Amino acid sequence: MLNPFDTPAFSMAALTAAINILPNRYGRLESMKLMPMQPVRTRQIIVEEMNGVLNLLPTLPPGSPGTVGRRGKRSLRSFVIPHIPHDDVVLPDEVQGVRAFGSETDMETIAGIMARNLQTMRNKHAITLEHLRMGALKGVILDADGSVLYDLYDEFDIAPTTIPFNLGNAATAVKDRCIKVLAHIEDNLRGEFMTGVHCLCSPEFFAALTGHAKVEKAYERWQDGAILINDVRSGFTFGGIVFEEYRGQANDIDGVARRFIAPGEAHAFPVGTIDTFATHCAPADFNETVNTIGKPLYAKQEPRKFGRGTDLHTQSNPLPMCRRPGVLVRLAA
């Protein structure tokens, strides 16, 4: 009896196209489009930093030679893109009773079973990518077990910035702390520009912020105090910053729940930038994908020994990156 998966519909190219079309059902950072995909052909990327020299240009009489531009110093940093494989299996029981000679709908049914498995696998890759992206926003990219993949502050030789908000003190000038955050980010854009500042908060930080006396007082007359009685966890603006509660978490392979933002913390970052944030994706380690442009996800299938099912292999090779870690600010409640 022929293997139903031995058709072009289940080739590596077809499955890879299918898994990349399936909807991503997890990821606030994905929905924000903060770190767009930038595919590369290699397993390693080079980040070039150039300290641009900006100076005021003097006025000169007509006909005078122009001032000569001065170049900044360049430095190169190399990053190896992480490899994240994940395997699953389609067992004979899942296609039992589906195949029939001469049927025109069998392949569609088997394709549905395959799509269901691919969707489950995609969801796991999606939450893993969210975890990596959140690490890039905090300046320290962590693996699933909590170990450090890249400390961007060390890589770029800068010190992390933490601004205490002291939300437990009713007399704290919260707006002044927000201004400090904005000023720090603006000073560290270094030739970039932004359209605003966003802050993802742990539930504890968000509750302390929205319950602070001065924050409540600032909003008690705005739209008849609507912000004080409605659910504003999806985001509200205070002091020029959009604060949003973020509850992202996932279990590692040992079943340990890991929160993407620690209790009592929040992380502010600029939005609307040009090249500060990106997600680099490398090609898979298949013969067919050597020297090709990387894709967000890859999928492949292979029959098991003695025909006892079909192995599914998926992999992603992503590296979320913040090229200016100086714009990242940790807020402490």
Side-chain angles (χ1 to χ4, degrees):
M1 187 171 289
L2 297 177
N3 180 4
F5 295 101
D6 190 19
T7 70
F10 300 113
S11 66
M12 190 276 287
L15 290 180
T16 295
I19 197 172
N20 282 300
I21 291 175
L22 291 172
N24 182 356
R25 296 176 179 172
Y26 189 91
R28 177 66 181 108
L29 300 181
E30 173 71 18
S31 64
M32 291 179 67
K33 302 186 184 302
L34 182 68
M35 299 182 183
M37 286 289 180
Q38 291 187 2
V40 295
R41 293 180 181 270
T42 61
R43 309 284 308 191
Q44 190 175 17
I45 63 168
I46 303 295
V47 177
E48 181 182 28
E49 181 187 14
M50 185 171 72
N51 298 321
V53 178
L54 299 179
N55 51 2
L56 299 178
L57 298 177
T59 59
L60 298 172
S64 301
T67 55
V68 178
R70 296 165 56 191
R71 303 297 181 189
K73 295 181 179 180
R74 296 186 177 186
S75 59
L76 298 178
R77 292 175 175 84
S78 174
F79 297 88
V80 176
I81 297 179
H83 174 62
I84 306 174
H86 177 53
D87 296 328
D88 204 341
V89 61
V90 177
L91 298 173
D93 285 348
E94 297 184 71
V95 296
Q96 180 70 33
V98 172
R99 231 172 358 183
F101 180 76
S103 171
E104 297 180 357
T105 61
D106 291 345
M107 292 307 298
E108 294 180 3
T109 306
I110 294 175
I113 294 172
M114 183 69 76
R116 183 187 66 202
N117 283 269
L118 289 178
Q119 180 67 75
T120 300
M121 300 174 84
R122 177 179 177 80
N123 291 343
K124 294 179 181 179
H125 281 287
I127 195 171
T128 302
L129 179 58
E130 178 82 356
H131 179 249
L132 293 174
R133 282 174 166 168
M134 194 65 233
L137 273 187
K138 295 190 295 185
V140 181
I141 304 174
L142 301 178
D143 204 346
D145 61 359
S147 60
V148 176
L149 292 176
Y150 288 109
D151 187 325
L152 299 182
Y153 299 112
D154 287 343
E155 297 289 343
F156 287 88
D157 298 322
I158 63 173
T161 298
T162 299
I163 297 181
F165 266 51
N166 295 329
L167 296 175
N169 184 355
T172 300
V174 180
K175 184 178 178 181
D176 291 345
R177 305 300 170 97
C178 294
I179 297 300
K180 288 184 179 179
V181 173
L182 294 173
H184 177 84
I185 293 176
E186 291 166 356
D187 291 343
N188 285 273
L189 285 174
R190 300 188 182 279
E192 257 278 27
F193 70 89
M194 64 180 182
T195 59
V197 171
H198 205 94
C199 183
L200 296 178
C201 314
S202 66
E204 295 83 358
F205 184 98
F206 193 84
L209 176 67
T210 54
H212 193 273
K214 293 198 174 182
V215 176
E216 289 186 342
K217 184 176 181 180
Y219 280 103
E220 64 184 4
R221 295 187 179 180
W222 185 74
Q223 292 186 352
D224 297 327
I227 195 172
L228 303 179
I229 58 177
N230 294 329
D231 187 354
V232 294
R233 290 178 298 170
S234 60
F236 80 102
T237 303
F238 184 82
I241 302 175
V242 178
F243 292 92
E244 176 184 345
E245 183 179 284
Y246 183 86
R247 307 182 71 91
Q249 66 175 4
N251 292 341
D252 61 17
I253 58 176
D254 296 322
V256 178
R258 298 188 179 277
R259 293 179 54 173
F260 296 173
I261 298 181
E265 290 187 3
H267 295 272
F269 51 90
V271 293
T273 56
I274 297 178
D275 62 353
T276 295
F277 300 105
T279 301
H280 301 282
C281 52
D285 56 349
F286 302 145
N287 290 334
E288 305 96 317
T289 58
V290 173
N291 293 327
T292 61
I293 293 294
K295 295 183 179 297
L297 287 168
Y298 290 87
K300 204 170 186 179
Q301 59 89 14
E302 183 178 51
R304 279 191 162 188
K305 194 174 181 180
F306 303 118
R308 303 182 68 181
T310 301
D311 286 321
L312 279 179
H313 171 81
T314 61
Q315 64 170 271
S316 59
N317 303 275
L319 178 59
M321 178 60 60
C322 174
R323 300 186 181 102
R324 293 176 175 83
V327 301
L328 307 176
V329 183
R330 173 181 172 268
L331 282 56

